[in-house]
């Protein structure tokens, strides 16, 4: 899974970078802008953004400002703080996932198209819901891991 996600993210970032490079060269150097390039770049850009967030959730590397960790001394206290953080993340994330699902239903019903190329924007819109669902799966996964760490005896944790 690490390899697949890194390949997908690398391809997406290369597409976005290449598109931006072409846009700059054609618009500012050659002075002949490519019509529709901006709206076609919306697809890999939004998927890159959402899958990057999913990857950070999977690796548990989101930016955190855990000031309380400074005052906590034991590993158990750190795990309990992590559980509280994961529960809050799960509650807020599930709420946002419900909003994303409502937006996805709206996107299916309306079936909008981009203004220049008439590409269906549903394939951009679905990235929000797919990303939120995957982030909630990984958040729940990490929550279970923290709960297990709290209730696993210290001697058993060292053996594993």
């Amino acid at each position: 899974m690490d390899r697949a996600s890194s390949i997908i993210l690398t391809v997406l970032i290369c597409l976005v970078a290449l598109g931006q490079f072409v846009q700059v060269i054609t618009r500012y150097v050659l002075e002949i802008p490519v019509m529709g390039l901006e709206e076609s770049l919306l697809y890999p850009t939004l998927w890159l953004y959402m899958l990057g967030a999913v990857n950070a959730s999977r690796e548990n590397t989101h930016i955190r400002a855990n000031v309380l960790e400074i005052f906590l001394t034991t590993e158990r206290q750190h795990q309990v703080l992590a559980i509280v953080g994961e529960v809050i993340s799960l509650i807020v994330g599930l709420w946002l996932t419900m909003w994303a699902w409502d937006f996805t239903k709206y996107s299916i019903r309306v079936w909008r198209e981009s203004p220049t190329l008439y590409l269906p924007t549903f394939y951009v819109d679905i990235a929000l819901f797919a990303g939120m669902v995957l982030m909630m799966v990984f958040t729940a996964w990490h929550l279970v891991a923290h709960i297990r760490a709290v209730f696993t005896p210290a001697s058993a944790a060292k053996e594993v």
Side-chain angles (χ1 to χ4, degrees):
M1 185 141 147
D2 289 338
R3 178 115 171 105
S5 65
S6 66
I7 289 172
I8 290 169
L9 290 171
T10 302
V11 167
L12 286 172
I13 202 163
C14 287
L15 280 172
V16 171
L18 179 66
Q20 290 298 323
F21 176 75
V22 168
Q23 179 75 353
V24 167
I25 297 299
T26 58
R27 180 171 294 217
Y28 299 109
V29 175
L30 303 176
E31 296 181 2
I32 48 170
V34 177
M35 292 297 292
L37 186 59
E38 304 91 17
E39 67 186 46
S40 63
L41 282 177
L42 183 62
Y43 292 81
T45 302
L46 197 59
W47 277 101
L48 174 66
Y49 182 78
M50 291 310 297
L51 291 178
V54 169
N55 190 54
S57 183
R58 180 180 61 82
E59 294 176 348
N60 205 15
T61 56
H62 280 291
I63 297 173
R64 291 185 174 93
N66 286 340
V67 178
L68 289 175
E69 283 186 355
I70 297 169
F71 302 105
L72 302 177
T73 56
T74 66
E75 182 60 30
R76 183 178 176 88
Q77 291 171 336
H78 285 265
Q79 291 296 336
V80 170
L81 179 63
I83 288 171
V84 171
E86 297 290 354
V87 167
I88 293 170
S89 295
L90 204 55
I91 290 168
V92 172
L94 289 173
W95 177 50
L96 292 173
T97 303
M98 288 178 9
W99 276 11
W101 174 243
D102 289 341
F103 178 67
T104 301
K105 290 189 302 187
Y106 165 79
S107 182
I108 291 169
R109 188 180 79 239
V110 173
W111 201 257
R112 298 175 298 141
E113 293 178 337
S114 62
T116 305
L117 300 176
Y118 301 107
L119 300 171
T121 59
F122 171 77
Y123 302 111
V124 175
D125 298 340
I126 193 69
L128 183 63
F129 179 67
M132 288 303 300
V133 167
L134 289 171
M135 282 187 275
M136 291 306 95
V137 166
F138 288 118
T139 301
W141 179 280
H142 293 299
L143 175 61
V144 169
H146 291 304
I147 290 171
R148 282 184 181 161
V150 166
F151 292 109
T152 302
S155 61
K158 290 180 182 177
E159 292 174 11
V160 176

